[in-house]
Amino acid sequence: MRAIIIGAGKVGYSIAQMLSYEGHDVVVVEKDEDRMAIVADTLDVQTFAGSGANIQVLEEAGVEQADLLVAVTEADELNMVACLLAKKYGVKRTVARVRNPEYAENAHKGRDKMSLGIDLIINPERVTAKEIAKLLDVPEAINVEYYADGQVQLLELKLTEECPAIGKSLIGINFRKPALIVAILRKGELIIPRGADVLTKGDIVFVVSRVEDMLDVEKALGKKRDKIESVMILGGGRIGYYLAKILERKKIKVKIIERDRQKCRELSKKLDSTLVLNGDGTDIDLLKTEGAGEVDSFVAVTGDDKLNLLVSLLAKHLGVKNSITQIRRSDYIPLVEQVGIDIVVSPRALTASHILKFIRPSEIVSVSFLGGAKAETLEIRVSEQFKAANKKLKDINFPKRAIIGAVLRGGQVFVPTGEDMIIPGDRVMVFALADSVNKVEDFFGISKWGV
Amino acid sequence: MKYQTVVHILGNILVILGGTLGIPTFLAFYYDEPIAVKLAILSIFIMVLGAAVSLAVKRTNSIGHREAFTIVSLSWLAAAFVGALPYWVTGVIPDFASAFFESMSGFTTTGASIFTDVEVIPKSIMFWRGLTHWLGGMGIIVLFVALLSQLGTGAMQVFKAEASGPITEKVMPRISETAKILWFTYVIMTVVLAVALKIAGMGWFDSLFHSFSAVSTGGFSTKNASIGYYNSATIEWLITLFMFLGGVNFTLYFAALKRKSLKKFWENQEFRAFLYITLVSGTLISLYLWKDYGSISEAARYGFFQVVSLLTTTGFMSANYEVWPAFTLGVLFFVMFIGGSAGSTSGGIKTGRWLVLWKNTGLELKKQFHPKAVFSLRIGSKHYSEGIIVGILQFIALYFFILIIGSLAISFLGFDLLTAFTSALACLGNIGPGFGEVGPAENYSHIPALGKYILSLLMLIGRLELYTILVLFLPSFWRK
C-alpha cells in the first residue's frame, strides 16, 4: 500500500514510522527542509519538499497510486484542501487533523450531505478531552480501554502497599470473578506473565475483566473506586473547554483556572455550570481558596508542559487524590510518572493512535496502544479460515509474547482459560507486545494493513 | 436634526390617523348618530392636513438616532392629540384635558378612563376608544412601517425607539416584512378572540371591542363593571388566556409557526419565567380566596383573571379586588411591577428585565466568595454583555425614580399616598386601575386637569420605555 503523509511533525512522524515499519510505501511531504532531513535520515520513507495543497507536489508524491493520505500539518485549511484534492485523485481514504471546532464539528454532527468527503477528521484537543473524561470514570486506573462493544474493560493499575495480592503468584490470587492479568510493567519493562509469576510492590498490572465484574477484581488488587464529583481544570484552552463541556453533561462540578481574561470571558459564555476563574495556576493562594486540594481530581492541560507538571505537583501537595497532567513532549512521560503524577496524557500520542486505529484492516475491530506504545491490544474478528479453530487454547501454538484476554461469542463475553476454544465468528481481544503484533496478525490470517 | 424628514413623516402619520378615524365615522352614519357629520369633517380635515404637510415638506434621505427619537415621540403625541379630538369635538367629553387623557390612555393601552358611565357613550365614539387600544398595542410606528415601508435605512432606529423590551429582534431580514408579520399575528389573534367571545355569548360589537382591548392588553370596556358585567366563567377564562397571549413575545408565535413546534415557547426563558409568575401568583391568590368564594374553581376564576389582567398590564376587572384580603392585594400590587414579556403588547418593566436583575444578583452574590471568577450572564442562548446589563439595571432604577417623582406630583394635587402612588404606577406601567381613589370601582374623572396631563405624560414615558421620551428633555439632544 502507498501512503502519503503531509506534515512531518510529531504525529506525522509517528504514523510514518509505524506504517513504514509495517512494510508499506510511505511518502512524506513537508515544507520545512530541516524536518524533512530528519525524516529522511531516520526512516525508510521517500520525502518531498513542498505544500500538500499543491497539485504538482501531490502528483510527484504519487497521489494517483496512493491508497491513503494523512494530512497532519499545523494548518487546518491546508489539511482539508489536501484531503479534498486527494479524493479527486481517487485516494481511497483520507484523514485530516482539524483543530478549529467550527470545521471539526461539521464532521461530528453526522450530516453526510454537509461533510467535505474527508473520511476521518481528527481533532486532537477533542480526542484528548474525551480520553481524560474516560480516565475520570475510573480514577484509580492509569489507563482504561474498552472492548467488545463496551462489555470488556482493560485497566492499568499501579499496585500499592495495600494490595493483598503482593507476594502471591498469579495463580494464587482469588479474583472471585473471571479476570486475567495480561501484562505487568515492572521497572520499565513489559512482560507477559505466567501463572507462577509473583506480584511485587510498584508493579503496574494490565487486568482484563467484564465491566460489571471489575469492581470485585479491583478489590482483590487492593483498589477502590471513588466516584469523581468535582474537578479542577488548569488551562482554558480547547482541551479545557471540551473537557468541561463533557464533564458538565455528567453533572460533575467543574472549576477552570485560566490566565487570559479574554479567554475566561469566552469560556463563561460557552459553559453553563462551570465556574471560570481568572488567575495564575502558580498562585497558591488562588489554588487554596478555590479548594484545589479538596477536589476529586486535578487536571492540568495548559500548553506549557513545565507549568502543568509544577501545578499538578502543587495540587498533589495540597492534598488532591487524583491528578491528570498533559505533557506534549512524549519523551518526558516515563520521567514524569516517576515524580508522583498519577496519570499523564499526550495529545500527540493520542492523535497518532487514533489515526492508526482508523487505518487498521477490517478484521481488526479496534486497537489500542498501551504502556507508552510498547504493547497493543487488538480486537480481532476470527475468520472462517482460522486454522486453529476448535482446538483447546492450551494445545495451540499461540505467539509467545501475546495473550488472549477475552472472547466475545454471541453477545456473551468470557475470560478464557486453557480449556476454552476459539471458533470462527468470535471476537477475541489479544494483548501483544509491539514486536509480536505481526505474529498475532499472521496467526489470525489477517491481510496486512489493507486499507 | 433633519426637521424636514420628521415633519414629512408626521404628515404621513396624520394621514393614517385620519384614515382610521373614517371607521367610527362610518359607524356613526350606520347607527344614524347626530355626530356623524362632525366626525366626517374631522376625519377628512386631518387627512388633508397630513397630506398637505407631507407634500409640502420633502424628506431628506436617512434617519439618524435623533430623528428616530423625535419621530416616535412626536408621532405618539400627535396620535394622542388627534385621538382626543373626536371626544372633544363631538362634546362626548367636554373638557380637553379629559379627552386627551382618554386618548392617551387608549393609545398607550393603559385603559384608565375618565368616564363615570361608559354605557351611554355613542357607538361610534366607543369604537374609537377600542380602536386606539388596538392601534397603540402593536404600535403606531410598526403599523406605519408595515403599511408604507418607506423609512429606508433608519427604519430599525425608529422601530427600536417604539418597541417594548430591552432587545429588539427582527424575524425577517427586512424591517417592513417583520412589521407585517407582527401585525398579521396580531390581527389573527384579535379575530380568533372576537369570534370566540361571540360564540361565548357577547354581541358582535362588544366581542370585537373586548378583543381589541384584551389582545392589545389595554383594558377599556363597554361596560361599567368591565368583564364582570357578563358574569360568565367562559368569557372570563377566554379573556384571561388572550391577555396572557398578548403578554407573550410576538416574535415567538412566528418562530413557533415556522418550526411547527411549540418547543420554541418553552425554550424561551422569559416565556417560562412569565408563565411561572402567572401560575404561582394565580395559585397563591386562588388558594387564599378559596374560603371567600366557596369553591376552588370560582376562586381560580377570579384569582387568575385579576392576576393576569394586572400582570400583563391590561386592567380588566371581573371583581372588585379592593375588598379582597390584604395578602391577595399584596400579590396583585407585586405583579403590577412586573409586566409582560419583551416584544409583547404589554407595558411595565417587563419580565425579561427582572430576569436579568435576578440572574445578575445571583452572579454578584457568587462573586463575593469567588473573587477571581469570571461570569457571564446568559438567558437562553443569548449572552448579555456588561453594557446591556448595566442598561437594564439602569432602566429598572430609573423606572422607580420616575414612579416616585410621579407619585410626588399627584400627591401635591392633594391625593393620599396610596392613590398617588398607585395612579402613577398604573399609568407609567400602562395598567389602568390602581388602588384607593383610582381603584377598580373608581375612575380618573375626579383628577384635576393638571393631574391628567401629568398622568398622560407618565403613560407615554412608560409606553415608549422611558428613554425615547426622556432624551427629549436633554438640552444637548437639540444642539447641533
Side-chain angles (χ1 to χ4, degrees):
Chain A
M1 178 188 85
R2 177 180 272 260
I4 299 178
I5 316 272
I6 296 174
K10 273 267 169 196
V11 174
Y13 185 89
S14 26
I15 292 166
Q17 186 181 27
M18 269 299 208
L19 291 175
S20 151
Y21 176 77
E22 295 273 345
H24 300 288
D25 301 336
V26 179
V27 183
V28 176
V29 177
E30 166 65 49
K31 255 185 194 155
D32 184 67
E33 307 260 336
D34 294 336
R35 285 285 327 160
M36 204 182 73
I38 295 172
V39 175
D41 287 348
T42 51
L43 297 179
D44 181 18
V45 301
Q46 197 180 4
T47 54
F48 281 101
S51 162
N54 184 315
I55 295 173
Q56 271 169 356
V57 175
L58 282 177
E59 281 182 0
E60 257 184 82
V63 70
E64 277 130 336
Q65 296 88 46
D67 304 291
L68 171 72
L69 183 132
V70 179
V72 283
T73 69
E74 285 301 313
D76 288 351
E77 290 81 3
L78 179 78
N79 295 341
M80 288 158 73
V81 169
C83 284
L84 293 177
L85 286 174
K87 273 280 159 196
K88 300 265 178 213
Y89 278 108
V91 174
K92 283 192 213 82
R93 287 189 146 189
T94 55
V95 179
R97 172 167 70 181
V98 177
R99 288 216 158 89
N100 185 342
E102 288 183 4
Y103 302 144
E105 270 158 24
N106 291 345
H108 288 281
K109 295 255 164 74
R111 294 198 298 186
D112 290 342
K113 218 165 72 181
M114 299 300 166
S115 92
L116 295 169
I118 301 168
D119 294 308
L120 177 69
I121 288 189
I122 182 158
N123 179 345
E125 283 82 12
R126 198 193 191 89
V127 168
T128 310
K130 275 187 175 168
E131 180 70 20
I132 294 174
K134 200 170 77 177
L135 288 168
L136 287 173
D137 279 343
V138 193
E140 70 281 8
I142 302 169
N143 199 352
V144 55
E145 293 290 343
Y146 292 89
Y147 306 95
D149 310 323
Q151 293 188 61
V152 175
Q153 209 174 30
L154 178 139
L155 294 190
E156 191 178 334
L157 298 169
K158 184 166 189 148
L159 299 185
T160 51
E161 275 169 51
E162 301 99 71
C163 173
I166 284 177
K168 285 187 192 167
S169 63
L170 293 190
I171 241 168
I173 303 171
N174 178 17
F175 285 124
R176 276 181 294 167
K177 296 278 164 63
L180 187 64
I181 292 181
V182 293
I184 298 173
L185 185 65
R186 185 177 289 162
K187 297 195 180 80
E189 200 191 339
L190 197 61
I191 51 174
I192 303 261
R194 301 284 146 200
D197 285 340
V198 175
L199 293 177
T200 60
K201 194 194 141 208
D203 278 357
I204 292 172
V205 298
F206 294 81
V207 60
V208 175
S209 174
R210 290 156 57 99
V211 174
E212 60 265 37
D213 297 342
M214 195 48 104
L215 282 176
D216 286 323
V217 174
E218 283 185 71
K219 228 175 265 164
L221 292 171
K223 290 280 174 186
K224 195 167 95 242
R225 187 170 301 175
D226 295 313
K227 200 176 161 354
I228 298 274
E229 276 161 357
S230 58
V231 173
M232 186 177 282
I233 302 172
L234 177 72
R238 280 177 191 156
I239 298 180
Y241 163 67
Y242 284 131
L243 181 60
K245 202 90 187 155
I246 298 170
L247 296 180
E248 274 185 354
R249 240 175 281 139
K250 294 184 179 178
K251 304 259 182 294
I252 293 173
K253 269 193 269 167
V254 186
K255 289 180 182 177
I256 292 192
I257 302 178
E258 165 60 46
R259 198 164 30 186
D260 184 69
R261 204 170 173 85
Q262 193 52 40
K263 262 192 193 166
C264 283
R265 280 206 200 96
E266 288 300 313
L267 283 172
S268 73
K269 276 185 207 173
K270 288 192 278 187
L271 294 169
D272 290 319
S273 60
T274 300
L275 185 69
V276 182
L277 301 164
N278 179 227
D280 201 312
T282 51
D283 177 359
I284 195 141
D285 282 337
L286 175 66
L287 292 179
K288 269 184 189 160
T289 51
E290 291 298 341
E294 284 96 62
V295 294
D296 294 330
S297 182
F298 188 90
V299 181
V301 286
T302 69
D304 181 352
D305 285 355
K306 294 186 286 292
L307 185 69
N308 289 343
L309 183 59
L310 179 69
V311 182
S312 291
L313 288 174
L314 265 175
K316 271 288 200 197
H317 174 72
L318 288 173
V320 77
K321 279 167 280 168
N322 179 285
S323 70
I324 297 179
T325 308
Q326 177 198 227
I327 301 287
R328 288 181 185 239
R329 293 281 301 262
S330 40
D331 22 342
Y332 291 171
I333 290 173
L335 209 79
V336 172
E337 277 171 344
Q338 293 290 314
V339 296
I341 300 297
D342 298 307
I343 299 166
V344 178
V345 293
S346 152
R348 282 178 186 136
L350 287 169
T351 309
S353 73
H354 206 84
I355 294 174
L356 286 168
K357 275 180 194 183
F358 176 72
I359 55 183
R360 284 274 163 169
S362 60
E363 290 93 335
I364 297 185
V365 181
S366 80
V367 57
S368 42
F369 300 84
L370 299 164
K374 285 197 194 93
E376 288 180 24
T377 44
L378 307 160
E379 189 173 338
I380 297 167
R381 197 174 279 123
V382 179
S383 73
E384 294 296 328
Q385 291 82 34
F386 180 51
K387 52 188 189 287
N390 302 320
K391 280 187 197 161
K392 285 187 177 170
L393 282 182
K394 60 180 182 189
D395 303 327
I396 294 177
N397 185 20
F398 198 71
K400 279 283 172 301
R401 291 160 68 75
I403 186 168
I404 295 177
V407 177
L408 173 72
R409 183 178 297 160
Q412 290 293 311
V413 167
F414 60 93
V415 176
T417 63
E419 300 297 318
D420 287 310
M421 291 183 295
I422 302 286
I423 57 174
D426 282 355
R427 259 157 68 178
V428 294
M429 180 228 142
V430 179
F431 183 93
L433 298 185
D435 52 5
S436 57
V437 170
N438 277 334
K439 285 179 204 150
V440 171
E441 286 174 357
D442 285 345
F443 181 78
F444 284 99
I446 292 164
S447 50
K448 299 270 289 171
W449 289 91
V451 175
Chain B
M1 179 83 72
K2 295 162 186 128
Y3 289 103
Q4 298 100 304
T5 313
V6 176
V7 173
H8 176 85
I9 290 172
L10 274 177
N12 282 332
I13 299 266
L14 283 181
V15 174
I16 293 177
L17 286 169
T20 49
L21 202 49
I23 303 169
T25 310
F26 172 79
L27 281 178
F29 280 111
Y30 179 81
Y31 289 114
D32 220 6
E33 286 169 4
I35 55 175
V37 180
K38 278 185 184 171
L39 283 178
I41 295 170
L42 187 63
S43 167
I44 292 164
F45 172 71
I46 290 166
M47 275 199 281
V48 169
L49 178 71
V53 166
S54 67
L55 285 175
V57 187
K58 282 277 163 267
R59 60 175 294 189
T60 49
N61 37 20
S62 73
I63 299 169
H65 282 96
R66 284 166 202 244
E67 287 79 19
F69 284 126
T70 320
I71 288 168
V72 173
S73 308
L74 293 184
S75 299
W76 277 80
L77 275 174
F81 184 79
V82 169
L85 292 178
Y87 301 119
W88 190 57
V89 168
T90 57
V92 174
I93 304 177
D95 72 304
F96 188 76
S98 296
F100 187 76
F101 180 93
E102 190 77 10
S103 168
M104 185 64 96
S105 169
F107 278 112
T108 56
T109 71
T110 305
S113 183
I114 55 91
F115 285 107
T116 39
D117 184 3
V118 293
E119 287 162 33
V120 298
I121 303 171
K123 278 244 169 34
S124 58
I125 295 297
M126 182 57 99
F127 194 81
W128 178 243
R129 274 179 95 215
L131 201 60
T132 54
H133 262 350
W134 197 63
L135 294 174
M138 188 46 80
I140 299 165
I141 298 294
V142 183
L143 176 65
F144 174 71
V145 174
L147 284 182
L148 299 175
S149 57
Q150 49 146 254
L151 281 181
T153 44
M156 194 62 194
Q157 310 300 347
V158 185
F159 202 70
K160 266 189 189 159
E162 190 189 52
S164 64
I167 288 175
T168 315
E169 287 172 45
K170 279 188 181 179
V171 291
M172 294 294 269
R174 293 188 74 87
I175 194 87
S176 57
E177 292 301 309
T178 305
K180 273 180 193 131
I181 280 169
L182 290 177
W183 264 96
F184 182 71
T185 316
Y186 191 53
V187 169
I188 296 286
M189 269 172 75
T190 309
V191 169
V192 169
L193 179 60
V195 171
L197 287 177
K198 173 75 178 91
I199 294 167
M202 264 192 207
W204 269 120
F205 186 88
D206 285 2
S207 51
L208 187 61
F209 186 96
H210 285 116
S211 182
F212 280 170
S213 192
V215 175
S216 70
T217 68
F220 280 157
S221 174
T222 56
K223 302 291 178 225
N224 290 328
S226 192
I227 305 299
Y229 169 90
Y230 298 95
N231 198 17
S232 148
T234 322
I235 287 177
E236 282 163 36
W237 279 116
L238 257 177
I239 288 183
T240 306
L241 174 68
F242 275 82
M243 287 192 291
F244 180 84
L245 295 179
V248 171
N249 189 341
F250 269 62
T251 57
L252 285 181
Y253 294 113
F254 180 69
L257 198 71
K258 210 162 89 179
R259 291 277 185 84
K260 294 192 176 57
S261 110
L262 291 176
K263 250 210 193 130
K264 271 277 157 197
F265 289 98
W266 193 245
E267 282 167 6
N268 185 291
Q269 276 204 31
E270 188 184 15
F271 175 80
R272 278 197 330 246
F274 181 52
L275 184 67
Y276 288 145
I277 292 168
T278 309
L279 292 179
V280 170
S281 329
T283 310
L284 276 178
I285 290 192
S286 307
L287 289 177
Y288 214 86
L289 290 177
W290 194 341
K291 247 194 3 249
D292 298 77
Y293 280 99
S295 79
I296 187 72
S297 61
E298 281 296 285
R301 167 183 162 191
Y302 291 106
F304 271 93
F305 187 94
Q306 254 60 232
V307 162
V308 173
S309 171
L310 293 183
L311 175 63
T312 61
T313 74
T314 308
F316 275 144
M317 277 103 45
S318 69
N320 182 5
Y321 54 77
E322 268 203 308
V323 299
W324 283 2
F327 173 72
T328 55
L329 287 188
V331 175
L332 290 179
F333 183 63
F334 167 76
V335 299
M336 283 170 87
F337 286 95
I338 295 175
S341 314
S344 71
T345 60
S346 71
I349 291 175
K350 305 251 152 53
T351 310
R353 290 200 178 90
W354 287 114
L355 201 60
V356 170
L357 178 75
W358 177 258
K359 287 203 166 186
N360 202 50
T361 307
L363 296 185
E364 283 299 324
L365 290 178
K366 270 195 204 161
K367 267 184 203 161
Q368 302 303 312
F369 55 93
H370 290 300
K372 291 253 180 172
V374 178
F375 294 105
S376 97
L377 194 149
R378 259 185 314 169
I379 291 181
S381 58
K382 186 164 271 139
H383 170 257
Y384 282 65
S385 73
E386 209 103 309
I388 293 180
I389 296 170
V390 171
I392 288 170
L393 301 184
Q394 167 73 27
F395 181 95
I396 297 175
L398 189 60
Y399 194 90
F400 278 93
F401 181 72
I402 294 171
L403 190 54
I404 287 162
I405 298 290
S407 322
L408 202 64
I410 303 300
S411 66
F412 175 78
L413 299 173
F415 289 92
D416 64 284
L417 196 59
L418 182 69
T419 308
F421 184 74
T422 57
S423 64
L425 173 64
C427 288
L428 185 62
N430 300 148
I431 301 163
F435 293 95
E437 288 179 51
V438 292
E442 311 276 337
N443 57 59
Y444 285 78
S445 58
H446 57 289
I447 306 261
L450 179 61
K452 280 173 183 151
Y453 284 122
I454 292 170
L455 291 176
S456 301
L457 180 65
L458 285 179
M459 290 180 214
L460 189 60
I461 291 175
R463 174 60 182 81
L464 297 180
E465 309 236 304
L466 316 190
Y467 296 121
T468 306
I469 294 295
L470 292 186
V471 289
L472 302 182
F473 291 102
L474 214 60
S476 60
F477 180 83
W478 300 101
R479 271 182 229 134
K480 285 218 164 154

